[in-house]
Amino acid sequence: MREELLNSERLAATGKIATYLAHELRNPLATMAGFAQQILQICKERHSDASDAIIIRNTRIIINEIRRLELVMNNILRFSIKQPTKKQQVNLYNLVSELMEVLSINIEDSRVNLSIQIPENITVYADKVQLSEVFYNLVHNSLESISPGGLIIIKAGETDQDVWLDISDNGCGIPQDTLNKLFQPFFTTKARGVGLGLHIVKTIVEQNHGGKINIVSEPDRGTTIHFTIPKKEEDGEKNTVNRG
Amino acid sequence: MAKKILLIEDERNQIILISETLEKEGYEVCAVSNGEDGLKKLQEMDFNLVIVDIKMPKMSGLETLANILGQRKNLPVIIYTAYPQYKTDFMSWAADAYIVKSSTGLEELVSHIKELIGV
């Protein structure tokens, strides 16, 4: 019965995903193509250091757009296709540091500050790829809600049973009346995007890892996403095949 | 004297790309990131043409287009969007051109601008 409901949900989602793809992939692809053409043009005319600076800047922009495209595609794939959860011991500090290195271009271009407050020895029993997607989605959401000069803080700690993580920003916040809808698929408060990110984050944390997630937010003050993941397999779910 | 184009577009990288491309073609570009600001700018300055995106915060491109044509009936307007499906919307018919963003969309945009207002 549950499987039938999921299949029906997937079918209903197909049309929405097609629209999502059409917009969310077309825009960045058009941008990348445009700048790539510019780079070619500049390379043809190249004769000064000023040209080099433009090449560097444009390349950074292209990388940004590619990352966004990857995130969109990953979310669609995770929503639509069953993928196994493969857990292993993951060092959180190393994982977050690697991800923030990848996201450094987005963070620099958004001109926001990032503070990582994670003890170096914390490990969690989790699917590394899925956990990366959780961070990508949450940090991207923060970057979209925050103004230049704002702050994103990633904190982690542990209890006897769980590892906990907080991702906070001092961005525009979320109205209270929409907080309980944020994890629904296709619900979004943003002008762009279709609202799959937080749904996927919740599925990964709760269904695939046996953890808990919640959001605390205040308009114009900022948002904190708090989630926990059990430290050991017996505290959470066994390796599973699951959506998300 | 360079012809002036008002660009109403909320994607920052698209603003850079479109502005630089059109400036290289000899146009003067003024960019704003939503329809409300676009309408204000139209009251402050004269433009030869407007480029408007559809999906934007505050006011959609189609609503912006309706307001522009209410103020300046003969001003050429081009819709430049990632959404092909609004092409059949009644309001889109009022625009002088409807161009879908793609790897060749920018060339198409320049070509339509030249056709509509010259260089």
Side-chain angles (χ1 to χ4, degrees):
Chain A
M1 184 65 174
R2 187 172 179 274
E3 195 60 28
E4 282 172 19
L5 282 171
L6 284 175
N7 281 337
S8 147
E9 190 181 303
R10 281 191 198 104
L11 281 173
T14 305
K16 288 180 179 175
I17 287 171
T19 308
Y20 181 47
L21 277 172
H23 182 252
E24 292 298 327
L25 300 188
R26 194 173 275 123
N27 251 331
L29 281 172
T31 306
M32 285 187 284
F35 280 112
Q37 281 159 2
Q38 266 198 12
I39 291 170
L40 284 177
Q41 192 61 36
I42 290 162
C43 288
K44 280 182 197 165
E45 298 164 358
R46 184 173 178 158
H47 57 269
S48 73
D49 288 346
S51 297
D52 291 342
I54 294 170
I55 290 169
I56 291 164
R57 185 207 63 182
N58 287 4
T59 307
R60 287 170 69 95
I61 289 169
I62 290 167
I63 292 167
N64 263 333
E65 295 291 270
I66 291 169
R67 297 262 156 76
R68 177 173 151 198
L69 191 57
E70 284 173 345
L71 183 66
V72 169
M73 285 167 54
N74 286 343
N75 282 351
I76 290 168
L77 288 174
R78 188 148 303 283
F79 183 79
S80 312
I81 300 167
K82 280 185 179 179
Q83 293 176 54
T85 299
K86 293 176 184 168
K87 295 177 190 171
Q88 58 181 303
Q89 289 296 339
V90 179
N91 180 294
L92 264 185
Y93 179 83
N94 292 345
L95 177 76
V96 171
S97 300
E98 284 166 22
L99 292 176
M100 293 312 113
E101 179 63 31
V102 172
L103 285 169
S104 61
I105 293 169
N106 306 60
I107 291 165
E108 281 170 35
D109 284 356
S110 300
R111 296 191 294 279
V112 301
N113 302 299
L114 174 71
S115 169
I116 299 174
Q117 301 169 19
I118 301 177
E120 287 185 21
N121 57 352
I122 292 186
T123 59
V124 61
Y125 193 64
D127 181 308
K128 195 176 175 184
V129 174
Q130 293 188 20
L131 200 54
S132 302
E133 288 175 21
V134 167
F135 280 106
Y136 272 126
N137 275 293
L138 296 179
V139 173
H140 267 282
N141 280 352
S142 287
L143 286 172
E144 286 181 358
S145 74
I146 206 166
S147 303
L151 177 65
I152 298 172
I153 301 172
I154 303 177
K155 275 188 203 172
E158 57 189 327
T159 62
D160 288 344
Q161 288 81 35
D162 299 318
V163 168
W164 59 265
L165 289 114
D166 279 355
I167 299 183
S168 311
D169 65 64
N170 58 356
C172 60
I174 303 156
Q176 295 298 311
D177 59 343
T178 57
L179 273 179
N180 61 348
K181 298 177 193 162
L182 288 176
F183 292 118
Q184 292 173 10
F186 305 112
F187 179 82
T188 183
T189 56
K190 296 181 284 191
R192 66 185 181 204
V194 140
L196 277 178
L198 281 176
H199 172 72
I200 284 160
V201 165
K202 185 179 171 74
T203 307
I204 289 173
V205 170
E206 296 192 348
Q207 286 185 25
N208 299 4
H209 289 86
K212 287 280 170 202
I213 187 164
N214 65 65
I215 301 178
V216 178
S217 186
E218 209 176 320
D220 301 323
R221 298 290 295 271
T223 301
T224 297
I225 311 269
H226 175 82
F227 66 94
T228 59
I229 290 182
K231 274 183 177 173
K232 298 174 193 164
E233 185 174 12
E234 54 266 31
D235 294 327
E237 293 184 346
K238 303 260 183 216
N239 281 352
T240 53
V241 174
N242 223 330
R243 213 164 52 91
Chain B
M1 194 167 160
K3 293 192 171 151
K4 287 181 189 160
I5 295 174
L6 175 61
L7 172 62
I8 309 174
E9 165 66 66
D10 66 332
E11 294 249 348
R12 189 180 55 173
N13 291 337
Q14 280 283 317
I15 290 174
I16 296 171
L17 181 62
I18 297 167
S19 299
E20 289 187 353
T21 302
L22 295 181
E23 280 161 9
K24 207 171 175 185
E25 294 289 336
Y27 299 105
E28 190 180 318
V29 180
C30 173
V32 293
S33 59
N34 63 70
E36 282 180 10
D37 290 349
L39 294 175
K40 277 183 207 158
K41 199 52 82 179
L42 267 178
Q43 287 176 340
E44 293 164 11
M45 293 168 68
D46 280 332
F47 290 95
N48 300 94
L49 182 139
V50 178
I51 301 166
V52 65
D53 190 8
I54 285 187
K55 190 84 170 177
M56 290 186 296
K58 294 186 182 175
M59 185 187 283
S60 82
L62 293 179
E63 199 183 341
T64 307
L65 173 62
N67 279 285
I68 291 170
L69 296 177
Q71 283 181 29
R72 304 268 307 274
K73 206 172 73 177
N74 298 318
L75 183 63
V77 180
I78 295 177
I79 295 173
Y80 189 56
T81 178
Y83 285 91
Q85 64 266 39
Y86 292 106
K87 197 166 186 173
T88 52
D89 189 291
F90 178 74
M91 198 58 231
S92 295
W93 299 352
D96 292 86
Y98 189 107
I99 301 169
V100 178
K101 288 173 185 170
S102 69
S103 56
T104 56
L106 199 55
E107 283 170 32
E108 206 181 331
L109 179 68
V110 173
S111 161
H112 270 89
I113 292 170
K114 286 179 178 169
E115 231 173 74
L116 285 164
I117 61 171
V119 183

